[in-house]
Amino acid sequence: MNFDQDACYAIISARDSRYDGRFFTAVKTTGIYCRPVCPARLPKRENVVFYVSAAVAQEAGFRPCLRCRPETAPDTPAWRGTSSSVGRALRLIEEGALDRGSVEQMAARLGLGDRQLRRLFLKHVGASPVSVALTRRLLLAKQLLHETDLNITQVALASGFGSIRRFNEAFQEVFKVPPSFLRREIGIEGPVVPTADIQLKLRYRPPYDWAAMADFMKARLYPGVETFDGGVYRRSLVIEGQIGLVAVSQGKGNWLDVRVKLQNLTLLPKVIARVREAFDLAADPEVIGAHLAQDEALQDLVRLRPGLRVPGAFEPFEIGVRAILGQQITVTAAIKLGATLVSYLGEALPSEWVQQAGASRLFPSAEAILASSLDFLGMPQARVRCLKAYCAAFLAQPDFFGGDTPEVVSRLRAISGIGPWTASYIALRALRDPDAFPAEDVALARGLMQADGGRPNREALEQRSQAWRPWRAYAAQHIWTELASG
């Protein structure tokens, strides 16, 4: 990979925490790779080599350090690559696409050949898709062994392994000890139970503006599906037909405390991926802020909120429904519509789950919305037709949100009633495209006018935003947040 090895050595010599997760140190004499902040004695320069990701280090034959725990490092920005296809593939891998499927199947979902996908991974990531997936599974398993009281069989299932035998073999091969050894060292072992509560720490790169994220979510809560009380965000969700509950709060360090309850432990990787997406844990605020601050109109906003994130989505389909309900009305009015939709069409949670959830219903399915007249919403018929057409299109194409941003936006625009603003907003929230930008948004134009005294229309705003690439979504979030606070 293309980065300065000597500069990396200077960074680990200083134990500079700003670079945690940006690269990993592999020690040739021990066969171990570490985070830049590892407290172990500094190795000699001639004995180390630096890798851009844990997957590349592991593919080179190094095993994770048991002391600094590479699985607890913030997400590695380099894994995002410079290819949109690689970024989409990495999101699929994080959700477990290769736990039960093949590289060929994943490549088909991306509209690529499997050889082409492998070449892209070697170019942008430095490791094969299979190696990246195996590293993800093993590091998640190690985190679960450290941070939960799950039985080892449960850990194997929750981290994406299809069998305990395969898990033991892979763990032994990489860590040189069986998982039972690590569990005995920690002193935790528990019984197998059909439904499990899992508590994890999901790390991020500081700073993190939790207050701004909390304010955004509180203003858009759909009663029945989600709550935000006592600093804890809770919600229900459905993944592959299975119910799950999630609770997220600010941790005491550079992490979010996450509690998950699942009917099916094999879905844990998908839930973790969705929490990361919803709370934008992979962002690098230092890089994003430095770029946006080059624009004088944004300098003060970036300085005021250096850790601002772009809220994502637990479920892309849900964001589409929210965006359509919110067309041409206030946020408050849109929330009332959403609450009514949930109360009429949201499936009730089992009584034993409600007490823990803080929520009582699931978000309505596309099938339920399509089958209803929606008369109870009192919306204009044009918007009712739009919502139904969106649900029909979503059901007709299993991978509706698959593909790059222009492809998905084009798919959305083909639905009568979804205009440029709605499509761009959905892309910003649901696709996690850091460069998505709803140039038609009146509030953005007003906010920028207040910032620099200009009067940008859509064309002027689009042109002005070119200087913010590839972080236009963050520029939009800064302007929106400032307007909301005023």
Side-chain angles (χ1 to χ4, degrees):
M1 302 304 290
N2 187 23
F3 62 101
D4 192 320
Q5 298 271 320
D6 289 331
C8 289
Y9 189 75
I11 289 168
I12 68 168
S13 300
R15 302 289 197 276
D16 194 332
S17 61
R18 293 175 300 170
Y19 293 87
D20 190 15
R22 296 181 190 271
F23 64 86
F24 293 86
T25 307
V27 185
K28 302 174 187 177
T29 52
T30 63
I32 291 172
Y33 72 89
C34 304
R35 297 159 61 189
V37 294
C38 185
R41 187 176 65 180
L42 183 70
K44 295 180 179 179
R45 174 65 184 88
E46 61 268 22
N47 291 336
V48 298
V49 62
F50 300 97
Y51 293 104
V52 75
S53 74
V56 182
Q58 253 172 237
E59 193 166 69
F62 294 91
R63 64 184 186 274
C65 175
L66 295 177
R67 189 170 181 182
C68 68
R69 297 181 57 200
E71 76 274 10
T72 65
D75 194 19
T76 308
W79 282 31
R80 301 298 167 189
T82 57
S83 163
S84 62
S85 295
V86 171
R88 285 152 49 208
L90 288 169
R91 285 195 292 272
L92 290 175
I93 288 173
E94 190 172 8
E95 286 197 353
L98 294 184
D99 294 347
R100 288 170 285 178
S102 65
V103 174
E104 290 76 14
Q105 290 170 326
M106 186 174 74
R109 290 182 64 182
L110 298 168
L112 302 171
D114 58 290
R115 290 185 179 180
Q116 182 183 5
L117 183 61
R118 289 187 178 97
R119 285 196 298 269
L120 286 172
F121 262 68
L122 289 176
K123 177 181 178 180
H124 295 291
V125 182
S128 69
V130 171
S131 293
V132 172
L134 179 59
T135 300
R136 180 198 62 77
R137 286 196 293 266
L138 286 170
L139 293 183
L140 175 56
K142 189 168 179 290
Q143 183 178 8
L144 293 174
L145 288 169
H146 275 282
E147 298 182 7
T148 75
D149 58 359
L150 293 177
N151 177 279
I152 289 178
T153 301
Q154 292 175 297
V155 169
L157 293 173
S159 53
F161 286 92
S163 71
I164 186 66
R165 178 180 178 181
R166 175 60 185 138
F167 171 57
N168 284 327
E169 290 174 350
F171 200 95
Q172 176 82 44
E173 181 180 351
V174 171
F175 292 97
K176 308 306 178 187
V177 294
S180 57
F181 174 84
L182 182 59
R183 182 46 64 86
R184 285 196 301 271
E185 289 290 298
I186 301 171
I188 300 174
E189 187 59 30
V192 176
V193 293
T195 303
D197 282 318
I198 303 162
Q199 297 184 58
L200 289 172
K201 296 180 177 68
L202 296 186
R203 272 74 179 181
Y204 55 75
R205 196 174 305 283
Y208 191 102
D209 194 336
W210 172 257
M213 179 66 75
D215 287 344
F216 182 93
M217 291 190 156
K218 287 176 183 176
R220 292 161 177 82
L221 292 175
Y222 272 20
V225 171
E226 53 191 346
T227 65
F228 206 127
D229 297 310
V232 182
Y233 171 79
R234 297 180 177 88
R235 72 159 293 152
S236 62
L237 66 162
V238 177
I239 300 179
E240 297 182 8
Q242 302 291 314
I243 297 173
L245 303 176
V246 174
V248 184
S249 59
Q250 187 176 26
K252 295 182 179 179
N254 296 328
W255 66 76
L256 297 184
D257 288 321
V258 180
R259 184 169 183 171
V260 180
K261 182 176 181 179
L262 290 170
Q263 290 178 315
N264 185 345
L265 279 175
T266 64
L267 298 175
L268 181 62
K270 285 183 177 289
V271 176
I272 291 176
R274 293 189 184 192
V275 173
R276 291 186 188 280
E277 296 285 343
F279 289 88
D280 197 13
L281 299 187
D284 190 332
E286 183 178 341
V287 171
I288 297 169
H291 181 78
L292 295 182
Q294 295 176 35
D295 189 319
E296 291 184 3
L298 297 180
Q299 283 180 355
D300 290 342
L301 302 185
V302 172
R303 191 179 302 113
L304 182 64
R305 298 182 180 88
L308 189 70
R309 309 294 169 115
V310 176
F314 278 92
E315 172 52 58
F317 167 74
E318 179 181 321
I319 291 298
V321 173
R322 287 173 178 259
I324 293 170
L325 292 180
Q327 288 176 334
Q328 300 179 340
I329 59 176
T330 66
V331 172
T332 301
I335 297 306
K336 289 181 179 178
L337 281 178
T340 303
L341 184 73
V342 169
S343 67
Y344 274 82
L345 300 181
E347 182 181 341
L349 283 173
S351 57
E352 65 272 18
W353 288 63
V354 173
Q355 188 174 2
Q356 297 183 41
S360 58
R361 294 183 177 274
L362 300 172
F363 190 85
S365 66
E367 293 87 348
I369 295 173
L370 196 58
S372 171
S373 67
L374 303 181
D375 291 343
F376 54 83
L377 291 176
M379 289 195 309
Q381 282 304 303
R383 205 182 316 163
V384 170
R385 288 193 295 270
C386 175
L387 181 56
K388 283 176 168 281
Y390 167 69
C391 292
F394 176 79
L395 292 172
Q397 187 163 346
D399 200 18
F400 184 85
F401 286 97
D404 57 22
T405 297
E407 181 182 350
V408 176
V409 167
S410 177
R411 200 175 293 149
L412 288 164
R413 290 290 308 278
I415 299 171
S416 178
I418 292 185
W421 178 88
T422 305
S424 297
Y425 181 79
I426 294 171
L428 187 150
R429 295 283 311 278
L431 300 184
R432 300 301 306 141
D433 183 346
D435 201 41
F437 188 73
E440 301 79 8
D441 191 89
V442 176
L444 282 179
R446 185 172 69 250
L448 193 59
M449 181 181 67
Q450 292 176 0
D452 64 5
R455 290 183 176 276
N457 54 27
R458 184 206 179 285
E459 290 74 19
L461 186 59
E462 180 71 38
Q463 183 177 359
R464 176 65 180 278
S465 73
Q466 298 305 304
W468 305 334
R469 288 185 179 274
W471 310 113
R472 294 192 300 173
Y474 291 87
Q477 193 65 37
H478 271 290
I479 296 171
W480 281 331
T481 304
E482 178 63 16
L483 288 172
S485 67

